Amino acid sequence: MAIDYAARRRYRHIDKFLNKVGPSTDPDFVAGAPTITALEESKVLVIGAGGLGCEILKNLAMSGFKDIHVIDMDTIDVSNLNRQFLFRKDDVGKSKAEVAAACVMKRCKDVKITPFNGKIQDKDEDFYMQFKIIICGLDSIEARRWINATLVSMVDMDNPESLKPLVDGGTEGFKGQARVILPTLTSCIECQLDMHAPRAAVPLCTLATIPRQPEHCIEWAKIIAWEEHRKDTILDTDEPEHITWLYEKALNRAREFNIPGVTYQMTQGVVKNIIPAIASTNAIIAAACCNEAFKLATTCNPNLSNYMMYTGDDSIYTYTFEHEQKPDCPVCGNLAKTITVNPNHTLRQFIESLGERPEAQLKKPTLRTESTSLYFQAPPSLEEQTRPNLSKRLGELVADGEEIGVSDPAFTIDFKFKLVFQA
């Protein structure tokens, strides 16, 4: 098939890579028309149309991809406008996916972007099977874990087309990461879960007696001062008067302990658990993700193997390494993950710890052994039947080294843990 290069002037920078063999191209790489056609026909799904998603959609359209799909459940808020550049003031309240798709297609008329307004969990395996590459620009660990488990479960060893590469990007302030996951072949998101540990809570005694950081003063105002002075009023984090009150209390607390740095903006961030979004970080990570998608679609260069970290707070620094698959990964492994527990802790304490452990992060777990049910979150009849176990010691319910199965409604898989008692 002949390529009309006059019509591809927008992509002339891309064609320099696709029209010749380089030192790192795949042995099966064919320069010219076949690869350009393969790129244009590659159907790509972008999950998320926020700060990272806007950058990804723009980059893909400018990189020669012609068949792009995007899914996002959110609508546009006025606070998005400072960095999510595909949106304007008149778009507030509209679907992010639909507005982003329309904006990019208006500028790149030869690109088709199909938007979906909804949750990724609402789509079945047939939906995801149609795509060649899936790119995540999510701000949710739970959503990442869900799509990761779904793509792993889709793999059929007898059907190579069932393996869908996942390119995942994430940002947090001046930090970010990009990674390439080949389901069942490389380390998956669940293998790397302990790199996204939940933030440690500040002990209440620290807030009450010896605050050391401005954030401690703000947490004190939110948790302790509000309860003492305004317990009959429900705290509304979107109400300016409430934020102002917390700010003034936190500022006085900070002055009492000679702690500088409390501001109104910081108060908003701490109370709402907001991590400032940095547009330049989004741009860098989106560029890395789209670069990987381009390489996967064309085989013009080896893809990332398999994790790139970026930090831009003190300087501009990147580090690339290969994260290894874990044999005891509950998604792509086949062994139970070993967890050391105190046999004198109650089942309730163990369940609470599953939400805090970096390698678990399960919020509503149902637990069972091979022979008995330990605790069911639902239905109500089974929850009531297994509720007495919550106050029993682990040593009464399971044996040292016994495996338990754990399920959580947020995920499509069951987890296996081997409980080893502390000496």
Side-chain angles (χ1 to χ4, degrees), residues 57-70:
L57 289 169
K58 175 259 296 179
N59 289 349
L60 290 176
M62 298 297 290
S63 298
F65 289 92
K66 299 294 182 69
D67 191 0
I68 305 168
H69 297 239
V70 59

Side-chain angles (χ1 to χ4, degrees), residues 18 26 29-30 35 38-39 132 293-301:
L18 303 183
D26 190 274
F29 175 80
V30 179
T35 298
L39 174 65
K132 184 171 183 178
F294 180 79
K295 291 188 291 184
L296 286 166
T298 64
T299 69
C300 66
N301 267 283

Side-chain angles (χ1 to χ4, degrees), residues 305-317:
S305 181
N306 52 17
Y307 200 110
M308 186 277 284
M309 300 174 64
Y310 163 80
T311 179
D313 44 7
D314 293 326
S315 61
I316 295 176
Y317 174 77

Side-chain angles (χ1 to χ4, degrees), residues 109-369:
K109 300 187 184 302
D110 58 342
V111 176
K112 179 185 177 183
I113 302 181
T114 306
F116 301 94
N117 184 32
K119 297 181 179 180
I120 57 174
Q121 293 88 344
D122 294 339
K123 302 295 184 180
D124 58 18
E125 288 190 1
D126 290 337
F127 173 78
Y128 295 106
M129 193 66 76
Q130 66 182 301
F131 300 105
K132 184 171 183 178
I133 302 167
I134 294 173
I135 308 176
C136 281
L138 291 161
D139 57 4
S140 164
I141 294 295
E142 288 78 11
R144 282 190 178 94
R145 294 174 72 182
W146 187 91
I147 190 63
N148 174 73
T150 298
L151 296 183
V152 171
S153 67
M154 283 167 46
V155 175
D156 179 356
M157 294 303 178
D158 297 326
N159 177 16
E161 294 297 318
S162 66
L163 193 153
K164 306 297 177 182
L166 174 64
V167 181
D168 177 61
T171 65
E172 186 175 280
F174 284 102
K175 299 178 181 178
Q177 95 279 331
R179 49 188 167 180
V180 175
I181 294 165
L182 305 178
T184 72
L185 299 182
T186 65
S187 168
C188 75
I189 286 176
E190 203 73 27
C191 293
Q192 305 164 14
L193 188 61
D194 53 3
M195 299 181 69
H196 302 276
R199 287 183 179 80
V202 180
L204 201 59
C205 58
T206 298
L207 301 179
T209 58
I210 48 169
R212 296 184 294 274
Q213 300 174 15
E215 292 85 355
H216 293 170
C217 300
I218 298 169
E219 289 283 6
W220 172 86
K222 174 186 174 184
I223 297 172
I224 297 176
W226 186 275
E227 181 64 23
E228 287 181 356
H229 299 282
R230 306 186 65 169
K231 62 181 180 181
D232 294 330
T233 304
I234 298 175
L235 176 61
D236 183 354
T237 58
D238 292 319
E239 172 56 55
E241 187 272 325
H242 290 187
I243 299 296
T244 300
W245 189 92
L246 293 174
Y247 163 62
E248 292 172 350
K249 290 292 182 183
L251 190 61
N252 291 334
R253 178 77 166 175
R255 288 170 178 164
E256 181 183 347
F257 288 88
N258 297 316
I259 300 173
V262 173
T263 65
Y264 184 86
Q265 186 176 12
M266 178 185 284
T267 303
Q268 281 184 306
V270 171
V271 170
K272 293 187 175 186
N273 195 26
I274 296 173
I275 298 168
I278 310 297
S280 58
T281 308
N282 286 338
I284 291 168
I285 297 303
C289 290
C290 294
N291 193 32
E292 295 308 317
F294 180 79
K295 291 188 291 184
L296 286 166
T298 64
T299 69
C300 66
N301 267 283
N303 57 271
L304 175 69
S305 181
N306 52 17
Y307 200 110
M308 186 277 284
M309 300 174 64
Y310 163 80
T311 179
D313 44 7
D314 293 326
S315 61
I316 295 176
Y317 174 77
T318 63
Y319 177 67
T320 300
F321 66 96
E322 183 173 0
H323 198 290
E324 296 183 356
Q325 254 184 312
K326 293 183 177 179
D328 60 355
C329 172
V331 174
C332 67
N334 52 21
L335 300 177
K337 182 181 288 292
T338 299
I339 291 184
T340 302
V341 296
N342 186 334
N344 293 318
H345 281 179
T346 64
L347 182 63
R348 185 190 304 277
Q349 289 175 303
F350 175 67
I351 290 175
E352 291 172 352
S353 76
L354 287 177
E356 301 166 358
R357 288 176 179 264
E359 72 273 28
Q361 301 184 40
L362 302 173
K363 296 180 178 179
K364 286 189 170 183
T366 288
L367 298 85
R368 61 194 176 281
T369 66

Side-chain angles (χ1 to χ4, degrees), residues 390-412:
L390 292 174
S391 58
K392 294 181 180 178
R393 295 184 305 108
L394 287 176
E396 300 175 51
L397 298 170
V398 297
D400 187 11
E402 187 171 0
E403 292 186 9
I404 65 169
V406 181
S407 59
D408 189 293
F411 306 106
T412 58

